[in-house]
């Protein structure tokens, strides 16, 4: 069984911290293009791994839906932001898309808790819910960017989601390395 959820989670961490920094300091910065590489890298990893997961279902059950599809949505939002910043376009359409992706993440988070999925369902569920709230609040945050308090609260909220994903992701690496020490690909059996 191929399992690269750890990679997806750490990419999610990087994306959350980049986004928090952008919300806090970058929204009004005249040097918008400096955010393109970070958003692009995060988006590319999320999009590629998410698409592979939803097309091939390499892990068991609905984990492919929860992690794969949310990764695709996360990735395309970050890729869209990178392209918009590169072309000097307004981010409004990206934030509108992020609203609907955020709603999906909230639904997935609630359902993970409800179904007791993952080793730490409450932590994973809350991670999805808080991440989803970031997407839902993207458009108001874009328009109210002059409110320093709102930007600080938004950035801190995104950092909290990033920390949840960091704990989940690094524990996932710790566990997966132990779980797969004896695994042999079918071609080598």
């Amino acid at each position: 069984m191929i399992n690269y959820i750890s990679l997806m989670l750490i990419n999610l961490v990087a994306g959350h911290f980049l986004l928090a920094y952008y919300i806090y300091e970058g929204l009004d910065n005249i040097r918008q293009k400096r955010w393109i590489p970070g958003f692009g890298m995060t988006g590319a990893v999320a999009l590629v791994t998410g698409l592979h997961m939803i097309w091939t279902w390499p892990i068991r059950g609905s984990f492919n839906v929860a992690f794969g599809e949310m990764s695709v949505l996360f990735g395309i939002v970050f890729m869209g932001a990178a392209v918009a910043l590169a072309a000097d376009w307004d981010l409004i359409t990206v934030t509108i898309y992020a609203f609907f992706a955020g709603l999906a993440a909230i639904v997935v988070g609630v359902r993970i808790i409800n179904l007791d999925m993952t080793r730490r369902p409450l932590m994973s569920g809350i991670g999805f819910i808080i991440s989803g709230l970031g997407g839902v609040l993207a458009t108001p945050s874009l328009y109210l960017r002059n409110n320093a308090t709102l930007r600080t609260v938004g950035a801190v909220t995104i950092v909290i989601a990033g920390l949840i994903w960091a704990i989940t992701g690094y524990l996932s690496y710790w566990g997966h390395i132990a779980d797969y020490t004896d695994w042999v690909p079918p071609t080598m059996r």
Side-chain angles (χ1 to χ4, degrees):
M1 170 172 89
I2 299 168
N3 187 337
Y4 44 83
I5 288 179
S6 304
L7 167 66
M8 297 167 83
L9 290 167
I10 299 309
N11 186 62
L12 197 57
V13 173
H16 277 74
F17 277 87
L18 281 167
L19 181 58
Y21 187 34
Y22 182 73
I23 290 168
Y24 184 74
E25 190 175 291
L27 268 171
D28 288 331
N29 192 303
I30 59 170
R31 296 174 49 214
Q32 291 292 295
K33 293 194 186 294
R34 70 191 269 194
W35 299 96
I36 296 167
F39 288 166
M41 290 184 299
T42 301
V45 170
L47 192 57
V48 168
T49 56
L51 286 172
H52 183 266
M53 184 171 280
I54 65 173
W55 288 338
T56 64
W57 280 55
I59 56 176
R60 49 181 186 90
S62 56
F63 287 93
N64 296 285
V65 175
F67 289 94
E69 292 183 15
M70 292 305 100
S71 186
V72 169
L73 293 174
F74 183 78
I76 203 67
V77 166
F78 271 73
M79 291 297 291
V83 169
L85 292 174
D88 290 322
W89 295 338
D90 191 318
L91 290 170
I92 185 64
T93 56
V94 176
T95 65
I96 291 170
Y97 190 96
F99 172 84
F100 293 102
L103 283 179
I106 292 168
V107 169
V108 167
V110 170
R111 194 63 171 149
I112 283 173
I113 294 167
N114 175 261
L115 292 174
D116 202 33
M117 288 175 62
T118 77
R119 289 188 179 166
R120 292 168 198 84
L122 189 60
M123 183 179 286
S124 296
I126 290 171
F128 274 111
I129 292 166
I130 295 173
S131 296
L133 287 172
V136 167
L137 297 173
T139 301
S141 298
L142 181 64
Y143 280 109
L144 300 173
R145 67 176 161 244
N146 293 328
N147 184 326
T149 302
L150 178 64
R151 281 172 57 169
T152 301
V153 169
V156 168
T157 302
I158 297 298
V159 164
I160 290 168
L163 290 171
I164 289 169
W165 293 125
I167 293 166
T168 305
Y170 291 115
L171 287 175
S172 177
Y173 267 119
W174 188 262
H176 287 175
I177 288 172
D179 293 345
Y180 294 103
T181 55
D182 296 327
W183 186 79
V184 177
T187 56
M188 295 179 67
R189 292 183 192 158

